Amino acid sequence: MSGEKIKAIYGTRDILPVEADIWRKIVTAVSKTADEYNYGFIHTPIFEATELFSRGIGEASDVVTKEMYTFRDQGDRSLTLRPEGTASVVRSYIEHSMGSRQGLVKVWYAGPMFRQERPQAGRFRQFYQFGFEAIGSLDPSIDAEIIAANYNIMESLGIDDKKLYVNSIGMPEERKSHKKAFSDFIKPILDEFCVDCKKRFMTNPLRMFDCKREECIALLKDAPVMFDYLSAENRKHFDTVCEFLNHAGISYELDKKMVRGLDYYTRTAWEIKCDKLGSQDAISGGGRYDLLVEQLGGKPTPGIGFAAGIERVMLAMPEKEPEGSRKNFGFFIVVRDSRYKKDAFGLVMKIRKLGLPADMDYLGRSLKAQMKQADKSGFCYSIILAEDEMARGKAVLRNMVDSRQFEIELNGLLKVKNAIQLGEMIGRK
Ligand code: HAM
């Protein structure tokens, strides 16, 4: 049966093998950092009760009002594809009484998130995040630890042109006096702002600081900022976080105008940005959410975390090698004559049993086409099975990087126990 081609949904995309390789490297680096910092991996479901996000992220936030993928299932329950991971982790923390077993729960996750935003470079409707959450401590040292984890992951991925911006957005009581001063500042000039800012002024005034329009940014130049309204206690908390960061050798900049898009944030907030990304320049963001556990039905418990967008991390990483130029340690078996196909198959299986990558042609291709395929495979070596050598129990090993060729004993190759020995035997530097 034939029919029209079906395309991926607008704002979603396939991650094809070459890109997915980089993807895996990123998640491996994140996993390594998580081990070093002692964060355990957690999986939460991709869909949750809608109420989790509307209560957790905030009824007035852009994510909840405009961006959620919400649907009714067969049982008429309102479900939502997760737009972020924190609310789910907190739900799981409460549901499994994690706090009663450990004073401080440290977890990390990686997976797809869904937001119905206008797609553009670095912004998708299905995107991938990795994130860290630490629930149970209000000590400034945990703020510094998790910011350091965030920063060091970016460092380990070779992202040099990044900047870490930190701020404190206080607690709801402190926000009341700031809100009044902010409102008094804005009211006389409200007409000069864009339509979106006018709307934000009514629903969530602080979000006006997120506007990218030059005119609005200029109007807000001298607007009162929450940082200047912090209580002595929260100011001390923030200063101590900065001292810890200094001790860890992490450079940062105070950005008093930074606000975060989700409503659960309290006290410390931060973002890592990379200029080369254009308007979607935030590669990661996070902060404290000291009231969220209680808001979602748990005992009052402070929490802090961050998440990074994997697509944006990829854009910020140094240039990737073009397709075909990567040379992985592995073997592509080529047959000069189809009668050696079973030998090739046996060899591929044996090499794989040694724990090494191996592949061969499954399309009955010509020798030339097999060599091309060997090159495209990205493996460092090909092994050519030909009549002359096979008669003597030998084969030709070709280095695909520099084209040198060696004659090797087939049995000798298979006796080798591990990759390093094998590499040395065939002259890998
Ligand atoms: P967020 O700032 O909404 O925070 O998202 C974190 C990161 O996800 C952003 O910095 C960006 O890299 C990426 N991101 C967000 N939306 C998109 C999109 N539509 N397309 C591509 N990438 C995107 C959170 O999600 C919080 N849960 C972070 C957190 C964890 N706070 C505390 N714990």
Side-chain angles (χ1 to χ4, degrees):
M1 210 169 63
S2 65
E4 267 187 40
K5 285 183 193 160
I6 300 170
K7 286 190 168 170
I9 302 295
Y10 185 55
T12 72
R13 64 197 199 103
D14 301 309
I15 300 145
L16 303 179
V18 173
E19 198 183 339
D21 255 9
I22 307 169
W23 203 268
R24 283 205 312 185
K25 278 183 197 140
I26 295 173
V27 178
T28 306
V30 177
S31 164
K32 186 168 171 285
T33 305
D35 287 346
E36 288 162 4
Y37 282 69
N38 196 24
Y39 284 67
F41 189 71
I42 186 168
H43 266 304
T44 61
I46 280 178
F47 56 88
E48 300 264 7
T50 302
E51 196 192 348
L52 173 66
F53 302 115
S54 49
R55 257 165 65 191
I57 298 172
E59 299 279 5
S61 64
D62 282 356
V63 170
V64 171
T65 51
K66 300 193 272 199
E67 297 168 5
M68 294 208 302
Y69 280 98
T70 297
F71 58 96
R72 294 215 160 253
D73 73 357
Q74 306 281 343
D76 206 28
R77 283 167 288 251
S78 178
L79 305 176
T80 294
L81 297 182
R82 62 181 185 190
E84 59 105 48
T86 311
S88 305
V89 169
V90 169
R91 190 231 358 102
S92 175
Y93 171 90
I94 299 167
E95 191 170 334
H96 301 286
S97 310
M98 289 189 213
S100 62
R101 273 172 277 132
Q102 275 165 275
L104 176 63
V105 171
K106 304 206 290 185
V107 291
W108 76 282
Y109 50 89
M113 308 290 161
F114 306 84
R115 295 185 195 175
Q116 199 160 334
E117 295 187 86
R118 193 170 50 78
Q120 61 181 89
R123 192 158 77 186
F124 303 94
R125 292 186 167 177
Q126 174 170 336
F127 60 98
Y128 289 76
Q129 283 187 343
F130 59 83
F132 281 44
E133 312 289 349
I135 308 176
S137 170
L138 190 51
D139 197 277
S141 57
I142 193 71
D143 302 39
E145 167 175 279
I146 208 156
I147 296 173
N150 188 173
Y151 191 85
N152 288 334
I153 287 170
M154 302 307 168
E155 198 102 297
S156 72
L157 294 170
I159 303 173
D160 295 329
D161 50 353
K162 60 185 173 306
K163 260 204 174 140
L164 166 64
Y165 296 95
V166 293
N167 191 17
S168 176
I169 52 170
M171 295 293 277
E173 318 84 68
E174 297 156 294
R175 287 186 202 146
K176 280 184 201 147
S177 44
H178 168 254
K179 204 174 169 185
K180 170 142 191 352
F182 187 75
S183 215
D184 291 346
F185 177 89
I186 299 289
K187 267 184 198 154
I189 51 169
L190 185 60
D191 272 352
E192 297 172 50
F193 282 91
C194 69
V195 184
D196 283 344
C197 276
K198 281 181 194 145
K199 269 194 219 149
R200 287 182 190 129
F201 184 70
M202 306 309 293
T203 53
N204 197 348
L206 278 187
R207 299 282 297 158
M208 292 172 80
F209 283 118
D210 260 357
C211 188
K212 299 262 192 296
R213 198 173 151 259
E214 293 290 335
E215 293 88 333
C216 297
I217 294 171
L219 287 167
L220 287 169
K221 190 169 164 279
D222 299 316
V225 286
M226 187 45 235
F227 190 86
D228 296 334
Y229 288 78
L230 289 178
S231 65
E233 193 191 352
N234 283 336
R235 179 61 203 262
K236 185 160 181 280
H237 180 100
F238 181 77
D239 290 344
T240 315
V241 173
C242 293
E243 284 160 24
F244 272 97
L245 289 176
N246 295 340
H247 271 271
I250 289 174
S251 47
Y252 54 87
E253 213 172 278
L254 171 62
D255 176 3
K256 292 186 183 180
K257 290 200 170 116
M258 185 221 297
V259 287
R260 302 273 303 125
L262 313 168
D263 286 355
Y264 50 60
Y265 288 113
T266 52
R267 300 188 176 95
T268 317
W270 72 95
E271 262 173 10
I272 297 183
K273 291 187 176 179
C274 178
D275 279 347
K276 95 176 185 207
L277 263 59
S279 70
Q280 301 304 310
D281 59 353
I283 43 179
S284 68
R288 281 204 159 270
Y289 44 87
D290 297 325
L291 303 172
L292 184 59
V293 179
E294 201 179 347
Q295 266 163 23
L296 293 178
K299 289 192 206 127
T301 313
I304 184 164
F306 74 87
I310 299 187
E311 289 83 357
R312 294 194 196 170
V313 167
M314 282 185 70
L315 290 171
M317 278 167 70
E319 285 310 312
K320 302 112 204 158
E321 286 175 29
E323 190 171 357
S325 71
R326 76 203 143 97
K327 288 289 171 207
N328 298 328
F329 190 65
F331 301 85
F332 195 93
I333 315 301
V334 171
V335 290
R336 229 177 226 287
D337 190 306
S338 61
R339 79 188 124 129
Y340 298 126
K341 228 173 153 174
K342 285 186 196 122
D343 297 291
F345 190 70
L347 188 57
V348 162
M349 293 301 172
K350 281 174 184 159
I351 295 173
R352 288 174 180 164
K353 277 212 170 127
L354 292 172
L356 298 169
D359 206 354
M360 61 182 275
D361 164 54
Y362 295 100
L363 294 172
R365 286 178 161 139
S366 68
L367 177 66
K368 200 172 153 206
Q370 288 179 62
M371 288 310 293
K372 253 195 189 163
Q373 204 185 341
D375 199 38
K376 265 178 105 178
S377 72
F379 289 152
C380 286
Y381 301 101
S382 59
I383 294 176
I384 304 154
L385 305 186
E387 199 168 26
D388 281 0
E389 289 82 12
M390 287 295 277
R392 290 181 281 122
K394 295 195 171 180
V396 173
L397 178 91
R398 182 182 169 88
N399 183 322
M400 302 300 289
V401 182
D402 58 18
S403 306
R404 283 181 304 156
Q405 298 205 153
F406 308 83
E407 202 167 80
I408 53 160
E409 290 268 353
L410 272 178
N411 279 338
L413 177 74
L414 299 177
K415 272 188 220 137
V416 180
K417 287 282 184 290
N418 64 52
I420 298 158
Q421 279 172 321
L422 185 57
E424 279 165 5
M425 184 186 95
I426 56 183
R428 186 166 68 117
K429 288 189 192 100

